[in-house]
Amino acid sequence: MSKEMLNIALPKGRLGEKVYSMFEKAGYECPSIHEKNRKLIFENEEKGVRYFWVKPSDVAIYVERGAADIGVAGKDILNEYEPNVYELLDLNTGICKMMVAAPANFHDDKSRTLRVATKFVNVARTYYASKSRDIDIIKLNGSIEIAPILGLSDVIVDIVETGTTLRENNLKVYEDIFPISARLISNKSSFQFKTSQIEDLVEAMKVQVDRK
């Protein structure tokens, strides 16, 4: 009898490839994933795993709604969308930070509403609420760094990995908000019904994290 399949949502792109490599080393390989084609779903019945690639910001939605039993999402996504899932393991990869950045000559005039450009509206709102700072959020979807240069915003709230883009645009980091890394998450119902399968996988992945 074949195993019941674990559906695993992987984020498309470099992070997903890194994370899949960890699954592979942990004994949950799926050779067809390496084939050059446009397939989005790959399974290995013998290992009881079915992988599929989705947009990184969608992983948590697939897991929360049960289309995936487990998935891998960045802490930035989890803090922004606050999905109703279990966070099982910090995979210690995809490491960066959520930060506030602004032009080098920026001075925060507390008598004015601070204009904040960001993709991460909830993160920014929560952060500034904790500081009791009055803000005007400007939601952008790309090239956030341009906003303060063109006078659209005073500061930006965004992910910073190396800081190169900031430096090249004469911006600097003013405040760290929280560290980011990839997290293994689980659908709550799946965890209840596939507990031993998911726990076995988590233990195998812990070994890979410890080896990093």
Side-chain angles (χ1 to χ4, degrees):
M1 191 175 100
S2 63
K3 287 184 183 177
E4 192 178 6
M5 302 290 262
L6 268 183
N7 291 302
I8 303 172
L10 293 175
K12 283 181 187 171
R14 205 175 39 165
L15 175 62
E17 284 161 20
K18 272 191 202 168
V19 167
Y20 171 70
S21 169
M22 292 174 73
F23 279 109
E24 201 168 50
K25 288 173 185 157
Y28 291 88
E29 70 279 2
C30 185
S32 66
I33 215 164
H34 293 298
E35 292 168 8
K36 290 276 180 261
N37 56 44
R38 289 176 174 268
K39 279 173 65 178
L40 295 174
I41 299 175
F42 310 86
E43 55 184 62
N44 182 341
E45 231 174 286
E46 186 195 341
K47 298 286 181 177
V49 286
R50 181 186 292 117
Y51 294 100
F52 52 94
W53 298 110
V54 296
K55 191 176 170 185
S57 56
D58 289 345
V59 169
I61 298 166
Y62 278 85
V63 174
E64 181 178 35
R65 292 185 169 264
D69 299 307
I70 59 177
V72 175
K75 191 64 178 171
D76 53 320
I77 301 292
L78 299 179
N79 282 3
E80 175 65 16
Y81 297 107
E82 298 182 336
N84 185 24
V85 297
Y86 290 133
E87 192 178 312
L88 304 177
L89 183 64
D90 182 347
L91 297 174
N92 198 26
T93 193
I95 293 169
C96 46
K97 285 183 177 176
M98 186 71 71
M99 294 181 169
V100 177
N105 62 357
F106 168 71
H107 168 70
D108 188 3
D109 177 357
K110 299 286 200 304
S111 68
R112 287 178 52 243
T113 297
L114 185 70
R115 296 171 304 154
V116 181
T118 187
K119 293 179 225 183
F120 300 96
V121 171
N122 289 333
V123 164
R125 195 174 282 128
T126 302
Y127 177 66
Y128 281 106
S130 74
K131 296 162 71 76
S132 301
R133 184 70 175 91
D134 189 24
I135 62 169
D136 172 20
I137 291 183
I138 301 152
K139 186 178 190 317
L140 296 175
N141 296 307
S143 302
I144 309 285
E145 295 83 7
I146 295 174
I149 298 168
L150 297 180
L152 179 65
S153 73
D154 301 308
V155 301
I156 63 172
V157 167
D158 204 10
I159 295 169
V160 178
E161 196 169 351
T162 62
T164 305
T165 309
L166 293 181
R167 286 190 294 275
E168 287 178 355
N169 289 285
N170 298 314
L171 302 176
K172 58 180 266 193
V173 170
Y174 274 83
E175 295 159 68
D176 287 7
I177 302 181
F178 57 78
I180 297 167
S181 57
R183 309 297 167 101
L184 189 65
I185 60 174
S186 167
N187 173 272
K188 290 188 169 180
S189 178
S190 297
F191 193 81
Q192 192 180 343
F193 291 106
K194 300 181 180 179
T195 312
S196 60
Q197 264 178 289
I198 293 173
E199 284 181 343
D200 288 348
L201 184 144
V202 171
E203 287 308 311
M205 289 296 274
K206 270 184 190 161
V207 172
Q208 297 309 311
V209 173
D210 292 343
R211 283 182 180 160
K212 284 172 76 67

